[in-house]
């Protein structure tokens, strides 16, 4: 039944879903939702979200310092998924409890204060391994809760895992931000690793449209073994059913604001989120549940979400296409064999285009392998991180966030 192609994204969508309304704004919202990992993130009720005003001030009363000078926003309240959210999945609640928001440096074009609050979840490695830390980015208009099933599996295997929301999505700061453009999102992502990771060597990964942000970040911050003066921190990339060969959102970026807002409001609807969830899985009967729909909507009812989405639209979106060939570090392409959202040809195209990439198909899996087959995906990622070409340098082992914390704890004991 996938019969229509919207030129702006060049991604197949359902004829049934398109028949809901012929308005271009609604078609736009439908397409946006399908390019994303929309079966993914979070959800308390709108009444609870209205109580959670975002605070942008960076001060001694709203932030705390850690060993790396990390300033956590103490005004941030993680979502109550089991209570107010009425979500039954325990892994979602466990992930939400871990969620924090850190203030990261950005340009004055993004925020007048020079800082933006970025929400994230850290799953510490549960055993010591000789692997680099992993920074993962969820898909379009999603949150770190999207990786709620994969994060614990990686931690069990010994991978230090950080899942980071893109500015304007998830539970990031919304008020006081001037721009939620694609460039602003990548800038804040880089600022996150500067603050939390100390610009240490890291493997970065992205799901669906999150992959576009990771491609941009990696291309601009590649590690070079020859020790060039402008050396970066990205040692490898992991792309999970990622969007890498479609630039921007086409003419949709030129829609008048009132028309664009109509599409954005439709993107918020339960019906569309549920339909997108159905299309994201190989086994929708098992995974496209009421919980999945709720989890994918939480951020949509936050004050400022609509303005943030409009800002992203009007920026023209990500443009990763020319960047893919610039990725010279080792890369792992993970792709659901039954992905019904992005064309399977894209998986092979990554391998053909990138200098050092390998493809791993995930069987009996749709567009969201990290949700549908988390144990298998974790094993594939661990095998990749354990390879000789990604072995951490000795100075990186000593300066990693985990080892610094271990040193402090040993001293205190």
């Amino acid at each position: 039944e996938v019969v229509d192609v919207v030129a702006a994204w060049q991604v197949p969508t359902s004829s049934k879903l398109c028949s809901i309304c012929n308005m271009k704004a609604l078609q736009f919202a439908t397409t946006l939702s399908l390019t994303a990992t929309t079966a993914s993130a979070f959800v308390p009720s709108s009444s609870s979200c209205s109580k959670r005003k975002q605070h942008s001030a960076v001060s001694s009363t709203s932030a705390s310092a850690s060993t790396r000078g990390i300033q956590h926003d103490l005004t941030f309240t993680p979502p109550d998924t089991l209570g107010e959210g009425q979500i039954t999945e325990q892994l979602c609640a466990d992930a939400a409890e871990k969620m924090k928001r850190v203030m990261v440096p950005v340009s004055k074009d993004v925020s007048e204060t020079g800082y933006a609050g970025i929400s994230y979840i850290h799953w510490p490695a549960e055993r010591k391994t000789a692997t680099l830390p992993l920074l993962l980015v969820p898909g379009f208009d999603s949150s770190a809760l999207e990786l709620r099933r994969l994060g614990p599996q990686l931690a069990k295997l010994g991978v230090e895992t950080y899942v980071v929301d893109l500015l304007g999505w998830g539970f990031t700061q919304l008020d006081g931000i001037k721009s939620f453009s694609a460039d602003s999102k990548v800038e804040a992502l880089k600022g996150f690793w500067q603050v939390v990771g100390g610009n240490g060597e890291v493997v970065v990964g992205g799901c669906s449209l999150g992959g576009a942000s990771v491609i941009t970040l990696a291309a601009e911050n590649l590690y070079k073994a020859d020790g060039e003066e402008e050396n970066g921190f990205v040692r490898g990339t992991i792309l999970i059913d990622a969007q890498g060969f479609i630039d921007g959102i086409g003419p949709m970026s030129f829609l008048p604001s009132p028309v664009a807002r109509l599409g954005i409001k439709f993107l918020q609807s339960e019906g569309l989120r549920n339909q997108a969830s159905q299309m994201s899985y190989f086994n929708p009967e098992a995974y496209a549940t009421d919980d999945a729909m709720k989890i994918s909507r939480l951020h949509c009812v936050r004050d400022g979400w609509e303005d943030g989405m409009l800002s992203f639209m009007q920026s023209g979106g990500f443009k990763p296409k020319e960047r893919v060939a610039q990725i010279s570090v080792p890369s792992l392409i993970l792709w659901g064999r039954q992905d019904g959202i992005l064309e399977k040809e894209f998986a092979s195209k990554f391998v053909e285009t990138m200098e050092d990439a390998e493809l791993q198909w995930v069987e009996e899996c749709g567009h969201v392998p990290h949700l549908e087959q988390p144990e298998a995906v974790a094993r594939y990622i661990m095998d990749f991180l354990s390879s000789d070409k990604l072995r951490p340098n000795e100075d990186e082992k000593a300066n990693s966030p985990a080892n610094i914390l271990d040193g402090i704890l040993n001293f205190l004991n």
Side-chain angles (χ1 to χ4, degrees):
E1 294 187 347
V2 179
V3 296
D4 188 26
V5 175
V6 180
W9 288 89
Q10 302 173 26
V11 177
T13 186
S14 168
S15 58
K16 285 185 178 180
L17 189 55
C18 286
S19 67
I20 295 174
C21 184
N22 289 326
M23 293 176 60
K24 288 185 178 180
L26 302 190
Q27 188 182 55
F28 154 73
T30 303
T31 310
L32 280 183
S33 69
L34 296 182
T35 31
T37 332
T38 49
S40 54
F42 25 175
V43 161
S45 63
S46 58
S47 61
S48 67
C49 290
S50 65
K51 299 176 184 176
R52 294 176 185 152
K53 300 294 184 181
Q54 306 298 310
H55 299 274
S56 59
V58 182
S59 66
S60 59
T61 60
S62 65
S64 61
S66 75
T67 56
R68 280 189 179 270
I70 299 175
Q71 293 180 315
H72 282 114
D73 183 355
L74 298 182
T75 68
F76 173 68
T77 303
D80 177 13
T81 60
L82 288 176
E84 295 176 343
Q86 299 182 356
I87 296 168
T88 61
E89 184 177 350
Q90 186 61 48
L91 283 174
C92 185
D94 295 343
E97 288 181 0
K98 291 178 174 289
M99 189 178 291
K100 297 179 181 179
R101 191 162 68 199
V102 65
M103 307 309 295
V104 308
V106 293
S107 68
K108 292 296 183 73
D109 292 334
V110 178
S111 169
E112 285 291 352
T113 66
Y115 288 89
I118 297 299
S119 44
Y120 73 102
I121 300 174
H122 174 210
W123 277 279
E126 295 180 8
R127 62 186 183 90
K128 286 185 176 294
T129 58
T131 58
L132 290 166
L134 176 63
L135 186 158
L136 291 173
V137 179
F140 167 81
D141 190 29
S142 186
S143 89
L145 295 182
E146 178 181 329
L147 282 299
R148 61 191 180 273
R149 296 171 189 164
L150 180 60
Q153 295 295 329
L154 289 169
K156 288 178 183 178
L157 295 177
V159 180
E160 197 78 13
T161 305
Y162 299 84
V163 180
V164 186
D165 288 336
L166 291 174
L167 182 63
W169 298 338
F171 290 93
T172 60
Q173 176 183 337
L174 295 177
D175 69 310
I177 301 298
K178 297 165 61 177
S179 171
F180 296 94
S181 68
D183 288 343
S184 298
K185 286 173 166 52
V186 174
E187 182 181 337
L189 186 60
K190 182 179 180 180
F192 172 86
W193 193 244
Q194 175 184 332
V195 169
V196 176
N199 281 342
E201 293 175 15
V202 65
V203 174
V204 296
C207 311
S208 194
L209 191 64
S213 68
V214 162
I215 289 167
T216 305
L217 176 72
E220 295 175 353
N221 299 279
L222 290 173
Y223 172 84
K224 297 179 177 61
D226 54 13
E228 292 183 14
E229 186 174 343
E230 295 296 324
N231 208 359
F233 52 83
V234 176
R235 283 282 307 275
T237 67
I238 298 173
L239 301 176
I240 304 175
D241 290 72
Q243 180 172 307
F245 298 101
I246 304 170
D247 280 348
I249 60 174
M252 300 303 176
S253 60
F254 301 107
L255 284 176
S257 293
V259 178
R261 286 185 184 277
L262 285 175
I264 292 171
K265 288 183 181 297
F266 186 58
L267 178 60
Q268 197 178 52
S269 70
E270 291 185 5
L272 185 143
R273 295 275 167 168
N274 183 63
Q275 182 67 43
S277 181
Q278 294 285 335
M279 297 182 69
S280 294
Y281 291 107
F282 167 69
N283 186 358
E285 291 78 12
Y287 295 102
T289 62
D290 188 55
D291 266 2
M293 183 276 295
K294 289 179 180 180
I295 292 174
S296 72
R297 285 194 69 245
L298 175 59
H299 58 297
C300 297
V301 295
R302 297 177 63 214
D303 293 340
W305 169 81
E306 184 177 312
D307 291 336
M309 183 61 71
L310 181 63
S311 173
F312 172 73
M313 282 178 52
Q314 293 177 337
S315 77
F318 294 101
K319 297 177 176 62
K321 189 174 181 179
E322 297 302 318
R323 300 279 198 170
V324 176
Q326 299 172 14
I327 308 297
S328 57
V329 294
S331 299
L332 173 65
I333 313 302
L334 292 168
W335 212 270
R337 181 76 75 174
Q338 288 79 27
D339 187 343
I341 303 298
L342 292 177
E343 297 175 9
K344 295 179 179 61
E345 288 75 10
F346 287 145
S348 300
K349 192 171 182 179
F350 275 115
V351 177
E352 296 167 0
T353 306
M354 301 171 83
E355 183 175 316
D356 184 8
E358 58 186 89
L359 170 61
Q360 176 63 61
W361 292 101
V362 184
E363 303 297 337
E364 297 186 353
C365 188
H367 187 61
V368 285
H370 46 291
L371 284 166
E372 199 162 16
Q373 299 287 355
E375 292 184 8
V377 170
R379 290 195 301 270
Y380 295 142
I381 290 176
M382 184 60 182
D383 289 345
F384 176 67
L385 295 178
S386 302
S387 62
D388 289 340
K389 54 189 175 183
L390 286 175
R391 188 177 300 279
N393 295 319
E394 290 303 318
D395 55 342
E396 285 299 319
K397 292 181 185 178
N399 294 320
S400 70
N403 282 335
I404 288 177
L405 181 59
D406 284 345
I408 293 174
L409 293 176
N410 288 334
F411 174 78
L412 294 176
N413 291 332

